[in-house]
Amino acid sequence: MTEGGPNTDQEGINRMIEVSGLTKTYGKKRGIDRLNFTINDGEIVGFLGPNGAGKSTTMNIITGYLSANSGAARIGGIDVLEDPVAAKRNIGYLPEQPPLYLDMTVEEYLNFIYDLKGVKEFARKAHIAEICELVGLKDHYKRLIRNLSKGYKQRVGLAQALIGNPEVLILDEPTVGLDPKQIIEIRNVIKNLGKNRTIILSTHILQEVSAICERVLVINNGQIVADDRPDNLSALITGDRKLVVRVAGPKDTVRHILRSIEGVQFADVTVQSEKGSYDFLVEAKPNVDIRKPMFTALAKAGYPILQLKSMDLSLEDIFIKLTEDKKKVKTSQNKQPKKAKPAEPAAETKPAEENDSFDSLDVNMSGADFDFDEKESEN
């Protein structure tokens, strides 16, 4: 067990949460399978996964509610299983259903939590007042919790997690069931809390991850299938960059120019958007930015770019692709063919992953804006 604070890597970054080889089984089923990840001091990390993927199991082990069959979880360098009391002092936990006593006032409840946690480092009155100011409960301090709106009950749940000033916050679906205004308010509170804390945010609202988190962990079937910044995950999935560019000029000439640009691996016209202008799908080679050379080549030829749009996948698309692809791989590995079938014609057996050609694209034009989505081949 590491003592005296969080582990520090060679670059001087404190690792506040360390999960290594974590495995938990329920009978013959593995809830999580040799899970490994670290979260650094000050990071706000989205923790995503479909139902049954292992999110809650992981969070329950990190917070000390469950024990693992093998592996370790450390908070600030303290092993949760070896010294749970010390580790829990560094954790503030907000479960999906906040642990509230509805017949207490906000004041009574937060004082109760202060006593329950055995806080000694902070003066009671000033500490609770500071937290209420932080989460926006100052004007509701004397009210019964049962009379609060769901949004303010969530704020009370956040407040209890902050009692004792923990360095790590673990928030499970903190905005579930809230109206749009309340969601925005709670998101702002979380972003404010993340200025000097490490936060794990588990949510099914993927826009929330984009709005709050600087990093995303995606778990599926008990294993991490992605770990990156939200804006980098699209490149992880596609492996290249796709653009839709609207150019004023003759289609054959423009297509020839686009195909001659270094770094372009595919270019073709999709539709005539307006008189004398065409939309082109342009694919770059992996890790090549073709925007500047494309602009230069077309400008030199006298064909102006009227519109340029990236085809990066949305976070929703990425999440579905990551979890579905993993599921398909596992299914195909476990499936035992009963009987060999005669080979079908090549046109009928083209693998789904190769069905990414120009013909498989569905273009929906609407005024000046348009969406460009890839069809998924049917299984």
Side-chain angles (χ1 to χ4, degrees):
M1 180 180 69
T2 305
E3 297 180 354
N7 289 339
T8 305
D9 63 17
Q10 294 179 350
E11 297 179 355
I13 298 175
N14 291 335
R15 299 192 295 271
M16 286 303 302
I17 301 173
E18 299 173 84
V19 170
S20 56
L22 212 58
T23 298
K24 177 67 177 177
T25 60
Y26 300 98
K28 294 183 179 180
K29 176 177 173 55
R30 288 199 173 194
I32 53 175
D33 185 11
R34 293 162 292 181
L35 212 58
N36 295 282
F37 64 85
T38 61
I39 297 177
N40 298 325
D41 187 18
E43 282 190 305
I44 303 179
V45 177
F47 194 42
L48 306 179
N51 291 331
K55 297 192 306 296
S56 295
T57 297
T58 304
M59 289 189 294
N60 284 333
I61 293 174
I62 292 173
T63 53
Y65 284 88
L66 277 179
S67 60
N69 294 91
S70 61
R74 296 181 177 86
I75 303 295
I78 302 171
D79 192 301
V80 175
L81 300 180
E82 292 184 11
D83 196 348
V85 174
K88 289 176 184 179
R89 289 189 185 279
N90 289 328
I91 302 172
Y93 181 38
L94 174 63
E96 184 175 346
Q97 296 296 327
L100 306 178
Y101 289 94
L102 303 182
D103 291 328
M104 289 183 174
T105 65
V106 174
E107 177 184 19
E108 291 169 341
Y109 176 70
L110 294 181
N111 274 279
F112 167 69
I113 296 297
Y114 180 96
D115 292 333
L116 195 65
K117 289 188 175 183
V119 179
K120 297 177 181 177
E121 308 96 302
F122 307 99
R124 179 191 299 264
K125 189 172 182 180
H127 182 53
I128 294 176
E130 181 183 1
I131 290 172
C132 287
E133 180 74 30
L134 188 63
V135 301
L137 284 172
K138 184 178 179 182
D139 297 331
H140 301 270
Y141 193 52
K142 300 290 185 179
R143 293 188 62 186
L144 274 177
I145 294 175
R146 74 165 57 255
N147 295 332
L148 297 176
S149 68
K150 185 168 178 60
Y152 276 98
K153 286 175 181 173
Q154 288 293 92
R155 291 172 187 258
V156 177
L158 272 174
Q160 67 80 25
L162 290 167
I163 296 290
N165 196 28
E167 295 178 299
V168 174
L169 288 180
I170 298 178
L171 311 177
D172 190 2
E173 302 285 354
T175 61
V176 66
L178 304 185
D179 64 41
K181 184 174 183 293
Q182 293 170 336
I183 288 174
I184 292 171
E185 291 173 349
I186 294 296
R187 284 180 185 173
N188 289 335
V189 169
I190 293 171
K191 282 195 283 188
N192 192 34
L193 293 173
K195 291 177 181 177
N196 52 13
R197 291 175 179 84
T198 302
I199 297 177
I200 295 181
L201 173 68
S202 172
T203 179
H204 284 89
I205 305 173
L206 299 182
Q207 297 94 329
E208 201 157 87
V209 175
S210 299
I212 299 176
C213 301
E214 54 206 39
R215 181 178 158 204
V216 180
L217 292 171
V218 182
I219 185 173
N220 193 39
N221 294 318
Q223 296 181 327
I224 299 295
V225 295
D227 179 0
D228 211 329
R229 294 180 59 86
D231 52 0
N232 288 342
L233 284 176
S234 180
L236 178 69
I237 298 297
T238 61
D240 51 60
R241 185 171 181 82
K242 298 179 182 180
L243 300 171
V244 177
V245 57
R246 181 173 295 175
V247 183
K251 63 178 181 181
D252 292 335
T253 305
V254 172
R255 176 169 49 201
H256 175 74
I257 293 171
L258 291 172
R259 289 178 174 178
S260 66
I261 296 170
E262 186 176 356
V264 172
Q265 69 178 16
F266 176 88
D268 210 338
V269 67
T270 63
V271 70
Q272 182 174 3
S273 54
E274 51 192 275
K275 188 175 180 180
S277 300
Y278 297 87
D279 291 340
F280 294 83
L281 171 65
V282 184
E283 253 184 76
K285 294 178 181 178
N287 303 316
V288 177
D289 188 346
I290 59 169
R291 290 173 298 175
K292 288 183 179 179
M294 184 171 64
F295 176 85
T296 301
L298 291 170
K300 185 177 179 180
Y303 302 129
I305 294 176
L306 303 181
Q307 189 179 84
L308 181 66
K309 183 177 179 180
S310 170
M311 280 182 58
D312 287 346
L313 297 174
S314 69
L315 189 56
E316 286 86 350
D317 296 328
I318 294 165
F319 175 77
I320 291 169
K321 187 167 179 63
L322 281 168
T323 54
E324 284 298 312
D325 283 358
K326 193 77 174 179
K327 188 176 180 181
K328 289 175 185 175
V329 169
K330 186 173 181 180
T331 302
S332 64
Q333 288 174 343
N334 294 336
K335 188 176 180 181
Q336 298 296 327
K338 295 179 180 179
K339 187 178 179 181
K341 292 183 178 181
E344 295 182 5
E348 299 293 324
T349 59
K350 188 175 181 181
E353 59 268 27
E354 293 179 1
N355 193 17
D356 191 25
S357 65
F358 172 71
D359 291 335
S360 70
L361 295 169
D362 180 21
V363 185
N364 178 23
M365 305 296 294
S366 176
D369 296 323
F370 54 95
D371 295 318
F372 223 86
D373 298 317
E374 289 182 303
K375 291 180 180 176
E376 294 184 359
S377 58
E378 296 178 359
N379 292 327

